[in-house]
Amino acid sequence: ADREFIESRRRALKRFINLVARHPPFSEDVLLKLFLSFSGSDVQNKLRELVQGVGDEFMTCRLATQAKDFLPADIQAQFAASRELIRNIYNSFYKLRDRAERIASRAIDNASDLLIFGKELSALGSDTTPLPSWAALNNSTWGTLKQALKGLSVEFALLADKAVQQGKQEENDVVEKLNLFLDLLQSYKDLCERHEKGVLHKHQRALHKYSMMKKQMMSATVQNKEPESVEQLESRIVEQENAILTMELRNYFSLYCLHQETQLIHIYLPLTSHILGAFVNSQIQGHKEMSKVWNELKPKLSCLFVGSSNMPTPPLSPPEGNFFSN
């Protein structure tokens, strides 16, 4: 029932669907099309039925076994460099997003303060407490001040409204776009981690197992073990070689997918200029509109400074030293 939590989840789901729907391979995926178009109540069962026929991407992609041919010779070095670059970009954009959130939040907090400030001025101007005769040198002073203060709440409410608009605009046009790019960068980081802990780790483990089996084969040959056991070991080595070949192909296919994802990240990078443009425009427009209201408010304060003939000036600060010395 937390409204802020629900809104944050709604925004996150919108970003997720946008990223998936704009992703070149995913945009044509039958599961995505069903998820976006199905209107029945048993969508989970339909998705479960459909996913059973999708299969392993490595088995269904026609380029899977040829992925190595599309990769540069130094793919491992490029992968490491790209991962480091994306990590640095992510860290910087994460800090930018936090600062942008704080700026937008301050604008909304400023709106709340301005609204309360105006309400207090209005409350002060609407005060009906009788004024004792000895409380002021000029009985009309307090009445004039109250009349002027009472009408200022409208302008402060307008200032508050402008501040809220600026904060909301920065949330939608700056913070939300930064969050979109951060989601994309985070997914890339997760994909790199899955590659290293998944396919690459299995490939290395298969190579290690193959090395151990070769050592066992050499030992069996030296010790002149029974032909049946040697044949079984040879058969296992052949199976392991086939498994290694498949693992190697999967490893290259995984790197090929990461290579494509790296290009996608760089396609999204120009979003930075749009984010900065939206931020600058928001600041210019917000300050311009706020300045206009402040300038319209200033003439309405003239009745508070009617001059010494109608209103006594406030006492000046006492000179240095003892206030009562004279």
Side-chain angles (χ1 to χ4, degrees):
D2 187 339
R3 184 176 298 178
E4 291 185 2
F5 173 78
I6 294 173
E7 175 61 15
S8 67
R9 293 300 295 269
R10 185 195 68 79
R11 287 175 177 265
L13 178 60
K14 181 180 178 182
R15 294 194 303 269
F16 171 76
I17 293 177
N18 275 327
L19 287 172
V20 172
R22 292 174 181 177
H23 192 282
F26 293 164
S27 61
E28 299 298 324
D29 188 79
V30 292
L31 287 170
L32 176 64
K33 290 180 179 180
L34 177 66
F35 176 76
L36 295 178
S37 61
F38 190 78
S39 58
S41 58
D42 57 340
V43 62
Q44 291 184 357
N45 292 329
K46 292 293 183 182
L47 287 171
R48 191 178 293 111
E49 292 173 4
L50 191 59
V51 76
Q52 292 175 356
V54 172
D56 183 358
E57 187 180 5
F58 175 76
M59 303 299 294
T60 58
C61 180
R62 61 184 179 83
L63 297 176
T65 57
Q66 306 169 12
K68 184 178 180 180
D69 300 333
F70 298 98
L71 297 174
D74 59 341
I75 181 59
Q76 294 293 346
Q78 289 201 30
F79 166 65
S82 176
R83 187 177 185 182
E84 181 66 21
L85 174 63
I86 300 302
R87 183 187 294 114
N88 294 338
I89 293 175
Y90 176 87
N91 291 336
S92 293
F93 269 84
Y94 187 87
K95 294 175 182 177
L96 288 172
R97 193 278 314 273
D98 281 356
R99 295 303 103 180
E101 277 187 338
R102 288 167 63 91
I103 292 171
S105 178
R106 281 200 296 269
I108 295 175
D109 290 342
N110 184 38
S112 178
D113 292 338
L114 286 168
L115 191 62
I116 294 174
F117 194 93
K119 287 182 178 179
E120 290 303 320
L121 289 178
S122 179
L124 195 61
S126 302
D127 185 82
T128 58
T129 306
L131 182 67
S133 58
W134 51 271
L137 298 176
N138 189 337
N139 289 335
S140 64
T141 300
W142 179 231
T144 304
L145 281 172
K146 287 202 301 180
Q147 185 177 0
L149 295 174
K150 189 175 181 179
L152 295 179
S153 61
V154 176
E155 280 74 18
F156 278 92
L158 184 58
L159 286 167
D161 183 59
K162 298 296 183 183
V164 167
Q165 289 180 19
Q166 182 178 353
K168 293 297 183 182
Q169 184 177 356
E170 287 169 357
E171 282 183 348
N172 295 326
D173 296 344
V174 180
V175 176
E176 201 53 31
K177 284 186 175 66
L178 285 168
N179 277 324
L180 179 73
F181 193 45
L182 279 173
D183 286 348
L184 184 68
L185 294 171
Q186 182 62 53
S187 68
Y188 181 87
K189 290 174 61 183
D190 293 343
L191 195 61
C192 291
E193 187 173 343
R194 285 168 55 197
H195 168 75
E196 289 191 335
K197 292 185 177 180
V199 178
L200 183 60
H201 178 69
K202 289 179 180 179
H203 186 208
Q204 292 172 344
R205 192 168 57 184
L207 288 172
H208 177 71
K209 184 178 179 180
Y210 177 75
S211 175
M212 297 298 294
M213 292 173 67
K214 292 289 286 185
K215 289 180 180 179
Q216 291 177 9
M217 184 65 182
M218 292 176 62
S219 177
T221 303
V222 172
Q223 296 176 10
N224 294 321
K225 289 191 175 182
E226 298 179 0
E228 293 81 3
S229 62
V230 174
E231 288 179 2
Q232 290 178 356
L233 191 55
E234 287 178 345
S235 176
R236 288 173 56 198
I237 289 175
V238 171
E239 291 178 0
Q240 188 65 15
E241 287 175 345
N242 292 331
I244 289 173
L245 179 60
T246 303
M247 288 290 181
E248 185 177 2
L249 290 174
R250 283 185 174 273
N251 182 42
Y252 279 114
F253 179 62
S254 177
L255 287 170
Y256 172 77
C257 293
L258 277 167
H259 181 61
Q260 299 296 311
E261 293 295 324
T262 304
Q263 294 181 12
L264 185 64
I265 293 289
H266 286 273
I267 290 173
Y268 269 88
L269 270 174
L271 186 64
T272 307
S273 58
H274 295 280
I275 294 171
L276 289 175
F279 177 66
V280 172
N281 289 335
S282 173
Q283 291 292 317
I284 292 173
Q285 185 66 24
H287 285 86
K288 181 179 179 181
E289 293 182 0
M290 293 281 284
S291 176
K292 181 181 178 181
V293 178
W294 283 118
N295 285 322
E296 291 175 352
L297 172 62
K298 186 176 181 181
K300 298 179 181 181
L301 301 180
S302 58
C303 57
L304 299 177
F305 306 97
V306 294
S308 57
S309 59
N310 297 323
M311 185 182 299
T313 58
L316 302 176
S317 300
E320 295 181 4
N322 190 342
F323 182 80
F324 299 101
S325 60
N326 295 327

